Amino acid sequence: GIFFWSVRLFVGLYSPPADALPVFVVAKQWMWTLQHRNGRREINELHVPTDTPIKLVMTSQDVIHSFFIPELRVKQDVVPGRYTLLWFNIDKPGTYHLYCAEYCGTEHSQMGGVVTALPPAQFSAWLQHGNARSSLAERGFAAYRRYGCSGCHESGASVHAPSLRNLFGTPVQLQDGRRVIADESYLRDSILLPMKDIVAGYATVMPNYSGQMSEDDLMAIIDYLRDEKYRTDEQPESKDAP
Amino acid sequence: MSSYLGDGYTLKSWLTTRDHKRIALLYMISITAFFAIGGGAATIMRLELATPAGDLVQPHTYNELFTVHGVIMVWFFLIPSIPSVLGNFLVPLMIGARDMAFPRLNLASWYILLAGGALTLYGILMGGVDTGWTFYTPFSTMFSNSYVVIVVIGVFVAGFSSIFTGINFIVTVHTLRAPGMTWFRLPLFVWANYATSIILVLATPVLAMTLILIALERIFQIGIFDPALGGDPLLFQHLFWFYSHPAVYIMVLPAMGVASEIIPCFARRPVFGYRFMTYAILAISSIGFLVWGHHMFVSGQSMYASVVFSLLSFLVAIPSAIKVFNWLATLYQGSIELSAPMIYALGFVGLFTIGGLTGLFLAALALDVHLTDTYFVVAHFHYIMVGGSVAAYLGGLHFWWPKISGRLYPEMWGRVAAILIFVGFNLTFFPQYLLGYEGMPRRYHSYAPEYQLLNVLSSAGASILAIAYVLPFGYMLWSIFYGQRAPANPWQATGLEWTTPSPPPTHNFAQTPQVTQAPYAYTREMPS
Amino acid sequence: MTATAFDDAAQREHAAVLGLWIFLISELMFFGPLFLGYVYGRVQWSAGFAAASRATDIELGSINTAILLTSSFTMAAAIALRELAPRMARALLLATATCGAVFLAIKGIEYHDDWRRHLFPAHAFYFDAAHAQAAQYFFWIYFAVTALHALHLLIGIGVVSALATRAQQANAPRWELTGLYWHFVDCVWIFLYPMLYLVGTR
Ligand code: HEA
Ligand code: HEA
Ligand code: CUA
Ligand SMILES: [Cu+2]
């Protein structure tokens, strides 16, 4: 009984709703860097709207950390070299503790912060306020050009490479027969370890970007690809909405 | 015939002995020293945690303290405790053998443990390690600035002590049982040590290799656990827990064996469901190999793997439950005498049950997400390991003390200490369940002020516990010189070990005994 | 009173053989993490592992496999001939140890070669860029597992030579135990050979 109940809850914890609002998290000894889609960055502080599913896409630059909000009963290790996801939905405005729960070295016990939940309207105002940076997707587009991705992946290219438009969140048929959903982890691996998952019908010519691309650029590109998807889905507003 | 204690008084006669009973005493002395070191570290930790601010020691020092505490307590105290001390002393006696199958290997195991301990202590004195006893990568391999390599090698060396001890027990039980001592006439303590040995032999080498890989990865800065090189830190976790979960049964099965000897004796009733007890022991030791992933529910391992590991962890509770119910059934309608060993044994059953049930909380996926890496986990394992196994070890030490030393310990003091340990223990660790539930993460050098009250309680309990642990040390030592001489069988217990004089002669039995009946032939009429 | 726990020689032999078997099972588990690491890498980069294994020297590897198989045969023959032809048996033991030594020598040459070709993962490693990461991982496993095997073989050579020098005095179980250990070391190689040399060949 307890077993099945807890499995159900657990599976729930692992399945963020498709429309969850993504926030990108990079952990390093001993701080949290959080970035919203419009480019606003925070350190050891996270502002989120209430009554909105939030999805954290997390990775670490050094050792394993763990993102823990005790009041919400959620926790997820943050592992270097891969993305892990965590999602939650806060219904009461307020502040919540944020802890690092996986031992990560000297200042492990100091690696905490606060999560502030604001009503959606206040949150939008907060989000716009004092943000001088361009949005993640814009920076992602720039990086996409800078790293030369467009040279192969745009329709005019001479190399035979799959189109990335409309890719995010859709199933991909791989050469070895598997079908996978193109989520953040898949995109990450496709870029850093292109030899791992080969798309059916394409040659293995894509260069390996591991070690050459910062986590920041990678997140920006992934957000750009997500954005592409939203644009073709004809949801022009979704880009600016929080 | 002279007793094994009288068979040579020089230091050399001890350091070169092949006698399993003397080797057991060598182990006893060394692990007591290790316990004091681990306990000393715990004492400083609890002092630090009495206030929310990190004011007593530096954060780095605190991290080294809990690492030392965990490493020493697990590998140099608890794993060798019951098997190497009581097991070494008793298994040959209980099966009617003159010694272990490989006496020289037995002595070598002790030296190997000391060598490993010396290396580890050397690393600690050089500057210490701050990785936690779990050595998680990539922290341990790439980021920690401490003496990881030397400590890891120390534990690696000690691992061989475990392996050789395991081989010795298995072969001894297979080949040296006295005539008539069939498998199902073996005392449960022997069964427990036998099953433990299987785990020692199968799981320890995996740890050994994993530790070597850590050392190599640190030295060469390249390896298979580093994500920057395409390796996988989760691979390390899988390997570590593949050893360390079975290892927790190394730490509890022998304790269950001790309880299974003491309870029938002081309830004057045969063990209830002997066969089921043996099957349960074997089931625990085999299913125990399949549940390691329950330490990794939030690590990023696949969700499906987590579900399977969770289910298997629930299954492993069934044989444990069988054991608990059988002990209770043994007590039922027994004429119970609350002597010191019995108090420890009953404490073991109760605290193991609490620790085990909270283990099930942790094995329930959704709960673990909240509770993992909090003080709830710390409380869970101290309930089993300290409240359970250490208590059983002490209980066993008291129970067989007349046999080991030839003297009786002062019963009054024994009871006082046992009760004090029970009280101090609960005061120390029960608040930690609440702390964990409220979300205080473990391995924290400083914490939010709202957790202070419970932490102060816990530190207060730890002081009681520290005093209570020193008591047995004192009066046992006293009894060696001034204690009353013990008869061969002071508890009117069954079992071949009680047919020998106290203390037993060097070769245990003048004549190989003939076994004609099942163990635990207790009746209520027998006076105790 | 004798200082042993055994009633008779037969019982002692039984214990020794059982003890060695358990030890060997334990040894197998010792290799386990390396095998698991290998499986992980192969799943992660199957093409890369194939490419990397093509860089190992299949000729030397195959020669070494043949040598070890021969040594297993001489070992078995030595045991069989122990009583019938003691001198022959002793010669066979020496042949076994020699095979082991030759194996190690060839392995040394191979290591030297690998080093020169920049295949040692922690020093000036170089590999075709597309598979560099996989190859580095592969060679890490390669060196770790072959070195561990070589260490075992070295111990094996010592044990066999020790037996050869005291061939007359040693009793049957001693021969048997030595043989058991030797066969174990061979067996491990039989697994390593396809893993490290053959995966890439089509
Ligand atoms: C001797 C040591 C020991 C023992 C025996 C156990 C036994 C068990 N442990 Fe524990 N455990 C540890 C030592 C031990 N553990 C340690 C050291 C850690 C932390 C390591 C670290 O991270 O540093 C840990 C961590 C740990 C975790 C990971 C927590 C986390 O980090 O997130 C989990 C999760 O499943 C777990 C589960 C269990 C279970 C299900 C059992 C079961 O075997 C318990 C079975 C027993 C019972 C269930 C009680 C008896 C039964 C009854 C009275 C009958 C009634 C009940 C039912 C039928 C349900 N343990
Ligand atoms: C067998 C195992 C064992 C034992 C016995 C203990 C015993 C104790 N443990 Fe420990 N503990 C662990 C295994 C054990 N622990 C492990 C594995 C961890 C995890 C480490 C990690 O995170 O990496 C841990 C972590 C741990 C923590 C969490 C640290 C953190 O996460 O920040 C705490 C905190 O309170 C704690 C407290 C205690 C206390 C108060 C005792 C007390 O019971 C100790 C009492 C003993 C004494 C005070 C010594 C008594 C004195 C003598 C016997 C002297 C006699 C001798 C002479 C006079 C010469 N332990
Ligand atoms: Cu970051 Cu602990
Ligand atoms: Cu476990």
Side-chain angles (χ1 to χ4, degrees):
Chain A
I2 297 176
F3 173 73
F4 290 106
W5 181 51
S6 82
V7 168
R8 247 200 31 231
L9 289 174
F10 185 69
V11 172
L13 282 174
Y14 266 70
S15 323
D19 61 345
L21 175 70
V23 177
F24 295 92
V25 180
V26 178
K28 58 173 174 247
Q29 283 175 326
W30 290 275
M31 63 195 245
W32 299 100
T33 318
L34 304 107
Q35 191 162 173
H36 295 272
R37 290 196 69 200
N38 79 340
R40 175 139 194 190
R41 254 176 204 267
E42 307 183 70
I43 288 181
N44 291 346
E45 254 184 288
L46 172 62
H47 288 77
V48 292
T50 51
D51 294 314
T52 313
I54 311 289
K55 175 169 86 172
L56 304 181
V57 179
M58 307 187 290
T59 189
S60 163
Q61 280 184 356
D62 39 49
V63 304
I64 304 176
H65 304 270
S66 190
F67 193 97
F68 178 31
I69 310 176
E71 286 96 329
L72 302 182
R73 310 273 183 272
V74 292
K75 180 185 295 126
Q76 173 62 53
D77 280 8
V78 180
V79 184
R82 64 165 74 187
Y83 283 141
T84 50
L85 302 181
L86 179 68
W87 81 275
F88 53 84
N89 189 344
I90 304 184
D91 51 12
K92 269 208 287 302
T95 60
Y96 300 85
H97 280 298
L98 161 63
Y99 290 129
C100 174
E102 181 65 61
Y103 176 66
C104 55
T106 311
E107 303 277 301
H108 163 61
S109 61
Q110 303 299 317
M111 187 172 163
V114 276
V115 177
T116 309
L118 302 170
Q122 269 182 42
F123 175 73
S124 312
W126 175 87
L127 198 59
Q128 297 312 325
H129 180 75
N131 178 33
R133 292 167 66 104
S134 45
S135 85
L136 258 184
E138 281 162 21
R139 281 189 288 132
F141 181 58
Y144 179 75
R145 307 263 293 264
R146 194 165 71 244
Y147 285 102
C149 320
S150 46
C152 296
H153 283 287
E154 290 301 308
S155 42
S158 54
V159 182
H160 179 53
S163 162
L164 303 182
R165 219 162 280 263
N166 232 336
L167 172 64
F168 191 90
T170 56
V172 181
Q173 182 71 46
L174 298 181
Q175 204 166 48
D176 55 12
R178 281 176 302 143
R179 260 171 95 82
V180 295
I181 303 287
D183 57 7
E184 287 90 350
S185 297
Y186 170 78
L187 295 180
R188 178 191 177 95
D189 285 353
S190 293
I191 299 167
L192 297 185
L193 297 166
M195 305 304 281
K196 190 177 155 206
D197 299 322
I198 311 285
V199 185
Y202 291 92
T204 59
V205 292
M206 174 158 163
N208 179 330
Y209 285 91
S210 64
Q212 299 166 34
M213 199 184 273
S214 69
E215 288 293 351
D216 211 42
D217 283 344
L218 187 58
M219 281 184 171
I221 290 180
I222 289 174
D223 205 49
Y224 162 71
L225 294 178
R226 181 204 320 271
D227 219 43
E228 285 287 285
K229 163 77 173 159
Y230 276 103
R231 204 159 18 202
T232 38
D233 278 0
E234 317 241 331
Q235 292 175 325
E237 286 318 297
S238 71
K239 189 183 165 199
D240 306 313
Chain B
M1 209 174 341
S2 76
S3 89
Y4 79 101
L5 290 171
D7 196 356
Y9 294 97
T10 59
L11 191 60
K12 180 159 174 269
S13 76
W14 281 89
L15 293 183
T16 59
T17 179
R18 311 276 165 72
D19 182 347
H20 66 103
K21 299 181 286 307
R22 287 190 160 213
I23 295 173
L25 290 192
L26 292 176
Y27 270 113
M28 188 169 85
I29 295 164
S30 14
I31 69 164
T32 306
F34 284 126
F35 181 68
I37 296 171
T43 308
I44 307 176
M45 276 149 60
R46 279 314 332 164
L47 276 175
E48 167 65 68
L49 293 174
T51 58
D55 35 20
L56 182 66
V57 295
Q58 294 296 313
H60 182 70
T61 314
Y62 181 82
N63 296 344
E64 293 183 340
L65 283 172
F66 69 69
T67 306
V68 169
H69 172 70
V71 167
I72 296 280
M73 285 298 202
V74 169
W75 283 301
F76 296 97
F77 169 66
L78 199 53
I79 285 184
S81 65
I82 300 181
S84 298
V85 179
L86 298 175
N88 236 330
F89 196 95
L90 293 165
V91 165
L93 283 168
M94 284 181 166
I95 64 175
R98 285 188 292 275
D99 204 334
M100 298 282 269
F102 309 119
R104 258 186 297 172
L105 189 66
N106 200 7
L107 180 65
S109 306
W110 179 68
Y111 278 108
I112 293 172
L113 181 76
L114 283 199
L119 275 171
T120 305
L121 290 178
Y122 175 70
I124 289 164
L125 292 177
M126 290 281 292
V129 243
D130 65 346
T131 59
W133 81 287
T134 46
F135 300 114
Y136 268 22
T137 57
F139 181 70
S140 61
T141 52
M142 301 291 166
F143 291 91
S144 168
N145 292 314
S146 59
Y147 292 81
V148 180
V149 172
I150 186 135
V151 169
V152 151
I153 292 179
V155 176
F156 168 83
V157 171
F160 284 90
S161 171
S162 288
I163 295 175
F164 293 147
T165 305
I167 294 178
N168 225 334
F169 276 131
I170 295 178
V171 176
T172 304
V173 174
H174 268 275
T175 57
L176 292 178
R177 279 169 289 127
M181 181 57 93
T182 58
W183 282 93
F184 286 110
R185 284 181 185 165
L186 288 174
L188 290 171
F189 181 76
V190 177
W191 268 108
N193 276 289
Y194 179 76
T196 304
S197 302
I198 293 178
I199 305 177
L200 284 171
V201 165
L202 292 180
T204 316
V206 175
L207 174 75
M209 177 51 76
T210 308
L211 293 177
I212 282 296
L213 289 174
I214 291 246
L216 291 177
E217 190 152 335
R218 230 183 126 78
I219 295 167
F220 291 112
Q221 293 289 304
I222 164 170
I224 64 175
F225 301 136
D226 182 9
L229 295 160
D232 191 343
L234 292 197
L235 197 59
F236 172 80
Q237 295 181 22
H238 280 295
L239 289 170
F240 182 83
W241 293 117
F242 178 82
Y243 161 80
S244 285
H245 186 83
V248 309
Y249 295 119
I250 296 175
M251 296 185 262
V252 85
L253 282 173
M256 295 172 158
V258 170
S260 305
E261 300 298 317
I262 297 177
I263 290 176
C265 177
F266 291 105
R268 313 308 310 164
R269 292 200 63 211
V271 155
F272 183 86
Y274 170 85
R275 286 228 171 192
F276 278 100
M277 293 295 249
T278 62
Y279 297 144
I281 289 172
L282 294 175
I284 292 173
S285 64
S286 45
I287 305 175
F289 273 101
L290 305 173
V291 304
W292 75 86
H294 68 205
H295 296 270
M296 299 170 60
F297 287 153
V298 302
S299 67
Q301 80 178 350
S302 116
M303 185 176 86
Y304 305 102
S306 293
V307 172
V308 174
F309 282 125
S310 169
L311 180 64
L312 287 165
S313 305
F314 274 73
L315 286 184
V316 89
I318 295 171
S320 307
I322 291 178
K323 302 209 63 115
V324 170
F325 291 132
N326 281 359
W327 288 317
L328 295 182
T330 308
L331 290 171
Y332 179 68
Q333 292 204 334
S335 58
I336 294 167
E337 189 199 331
L338 283 179
S339 61
M342 190 62 164
I343 299 176
Y344 283 115
L346 295 180
F348 165 82
V349 174
L351 299 178
F352 168 72
T353 302
I354 298 179
L357 288 176
T358 50
L360 284 181
F361 289 18
L362 293 170
L365 294 162
L367 276 174
D368 184 68
V369 169
H370 173 54
L371 296 174
T372 182
D373 279 320
T374 66
Y375 263 81
F376 194 91
V377 177
V378 176
H380 154 67
F381 65 72
H382 283 92
Y383 259 74
I384 298 187
M385 303 206 293
V386 184
S389 300
V390 177
Y393 171 65
L394 288 174
L397 220 50
H398 282 78
F399 185 59
W400 284 291
W401 189 249
K403 187 62 47 191
I404 294 172
S405 69
R407 305 286 181 143
L408 297 177
Y409 63 87
E411 182 64 35
M412 248 315 283
W413 280 102
R415 291 186 195 182
V416 169
I419 290 170
L420 211 53
I421 287 176
F422 185 83
V423 172
F425 172 81
N426 280 294
L427 189 55
T428 311
F429 293 104
F430 194 79
Q432 297 188 359
Y433 279 127
L434 304 177
L435 280 173
Y437 181 74
E438 288 172 10
M440 176 171 165
R442 61 190 282 207
R443 297 169 171 178
Y444 262 32
H445 159 254
S446 56
Y447 53 87
E450 64 258 38
Y451 300 128
Q452 182 168 18
L453 176 64
L454 290 166
N455 268 301
V456 168
L457 282 181
S458 176
S459 294
S463 340
I464 299 180
L465 193 56
I467 295 167
Y469 275 136
V470 180
L471 284 182
F473 185 80
Y475 64 73
M476 299 285 233
L477 211 59
W478 176 87
S479 76
I480 294 180
F481 302 103
Y482 309 107
Q484 211 182 321
R485 285 196 184 277
N489 189 357
W491 313 117
Q492 310 302 319
T494 65
L496 289 177
E497 76 270 27
W498 299 109
T499 64
T500 63
S502 300
T506 304
H507 291 294
N508 300 349
F509 299 98
Q511 272 157 346
T512 307
Q514 295 279 337
V515 182
T516 52
Q517 58 174 0
Y520 310 113
Y522 290 106
T523 53
R524 289 189 63 178
E525 291 70 46
M526 274 160 68
S528 106
Chain C
M1 206 180 237
T2 52
T4 163
F6 299 105
D7 293 331
D8 53 40
Q11 200 187 22
R12 178 173 33 227
E13 284 157 24
H14 177 62
V17 173
L18 183 66
L20 188 65
W21 269 106
I22 297 168
F23 178 69
L24 293 182
I25 293 171
S26 194
E27 282 265 43
L28 210 57
M29 299 300 286
F30 190 54
F31 279 88
L34 290 170
F35 286 119
L36 187 77
Y38 178 88
V39 170
Y40 168 82
R42 193 149 150 63
V43 170
Q44 188 84 345
W45 313 271
S46 42
F49 256 47
S53 82
R54 275 192 292 274
T56 55
D57 194 326
I58 188 163
E59 280 166 28
L60 292 184
S62 309
I63 294 174
N64 259 347
T65 308
I67 292 176
L68 271 200
L69 285 176
T70 315
S71 78
S72 251
F73 172 75
T74 52
M75 186 75 227
I79 292 171
L81 293 178
R82 181 177 77 90
E83 295 202 304
L84 295 174
R87 309 192 106 220
M88 181 74 177
R90 204 176 147 234
L92 282 168
L93 279 186
L94 289 174
T96 307
T98 313
C99 279
V102 173
F103 177 98
L104 286 183
I106 293 181
K107 196 76 222 162
I109 295 171
E110 214 183 319
Y111 279 161
H112 182 73
D113 241 38
D114 296 334
W115 176 274
R116 261 199 8 233
R117 291 190 294 145
H118 299 283
L119 292 177
F120 185 66
H123 175 80
F125 185 80
Y126 176 78
F127 203 84
D128 169 21
H131 295 301
Q133 202 175 55
Q136 194 168 22
Y137 184 105
F138 175 90
F139 277 99
W140 178 246
I141 301 264
Y142 164 86
F143 275 101
V145 77
T146 52
L148 185 67
H149 176 263
L151 182 70
H152 280 80
L153 197 59
L154 203 62
I155 297 170
I157 294 173
V159 180
V160 171
S161 317
L163 178 62
T165 54
R166 319 185 60 241
Q168 251 73 58
Q169 297 95 305
N171 52 8
R174 175 91 190 271
W175 285 67
E176 214 172 286
L177 293 177
T178 310
L180 200 54
Y181 184 80
W182 189 266
H183 292 315
F184 168 79
V185 178
D186 278 8
C187 259
V188 171
W189 181 260
I190 299 304
F191 281 99
L192 297 187
Y193 174 61
M195 272 169 54
L196 301 177
Y197 296 88
L198 297 184
V199 254
T201 52
R202 283 272 150 72

